[in-house]
Amino acid sequence: MTTPTAPPTTARLDELIGDVREAVGRGLPPDTTAYLVGERLAAHLGAGDLLTEEQCESDPERYRQHILHAEPDGSFSVVALVWLPGQQTCIHDHVSWCVTGVHQGAESERRYRLVPDGPTARLVATEDVVNAQGDVCGFAPPGDIHRVRNAGSSTAISVHVYGADVSRLGSSVRRVYDLPAHEF
């Protein structure tokens, strides 16, 4: 039987994990925790020594997820997402609070709200946001429905901190929305 090995790390990533551990360990409400984690993440974005070369590798078929850390008690995970131009998510929401920071490039995000429409529901686009290198945003369910895309011409890398064990769950996505969407 083999023991799983921990993902490669850097001294700066270890520092970020310690910063996140301290913020999460306060046991505050999800929105407050996301705010505190965002403050800590911002200080590390764009630093050349945050990620290893392997953690910056893309996939030509779809955006690539690199799990950087999963806290042993399941309280948070740190993930790097690498996006080639044109790659995007489906419209989705999340299993927990989340903080995202753009490490390299830029990400375009369209946010939605779910509205009743007779016996079903539909999505209404509420905001378009472009997050550039160094930008941080956070949210806590409900109200976290969005689609993220690399609309630029170069690779984008973002660092995400989730209030869940993504290594166990496989993804932070709670639900994918395949509903009519009222776009701008």
Side-chain angles (χ1 to χ4, degrees):
M1 180 164 139
T2 61
T3 304
T5 58
T9 189
T10 66
R12 183 176 286 274
L13 179 58
D14 289 342
E15 183 182 339
L16 170 60
I17 291 165
D19 292 347
V20 171
R21 185 177 290 128
E22 183 276 326
V24 171
R26 293 184 184 189
L28 298 169
D31 55 343
T32 306
T33 298
Y35 177 81
L36 292 173
V37 168
E39 285 185 326
R40 281 134 181 94
L41 176 59
H44 299 280
L45 296 172
D49 59 344
L50 178 61
L51 302 175
T52 65
E53 276 188 45
E54 179 183 85
Q55 293 163 341
C56 296
E57 289 178 358
S58 61
D59 181 322
E61 301 299 317
R62 60 183 307 270
Y63 69 92
R64 183 166 182 191
Q65 172 180 275
H66 297 275
I67 298 175
L68 307 176
H69 176 79
E71 191 70 355
D73 68 1
S75 60
F76 72 91
S77 300
V78 182
V79 174
L81 296 182
V82 182
W83 312 77
L84 293 176
Q87 292 180 334
Q88 67 180 2
T89 67
C90 52
I91 300 172
H92 66 282
D93 63 8
H94 301 87
V95 297
S96 70
W97 61 264
C98 174
V99 174
T100 302
V102 178
H103 180 61
Q104 174 185 309
E107 293 178 351
S108 298
E109 177 187 15
R110 177 163 284 176
R111 298 174 183 169
Y112 297 88
R113 75 182 156 87
L114 189 63
V115 296
D117 190 11
T120 61
R122 64 185 168 88
L123 296 169
V124 174
T126 60
E127 185 176 19
D128 280 331
V129 178
V130 176
N131 296 303
Q133 181 178 348
D135 287 348
V136 174
C137 65
F139 49 80
D144 60 322
I145 303 170
H146 69 162
R147 175 192 314 249
V148 181
R149 178 171 193 258
N150 179 356
S153 59
S154 62
T155 300
I157 301 173
S158 51
V159 178
H160 301 236
V161 183
Y162 299 105
D165 185 346
V166 174
S167 69
R168 184 178 59 79
L169 299 173
S171 170
S172 67
V173 173
R174 179 175 71 128
R175 182 174 33 208
V176 171
Y177 292 85
D178 186 20
L179 295 170
H182 175 344
E183 306 292 346
F184 294 116

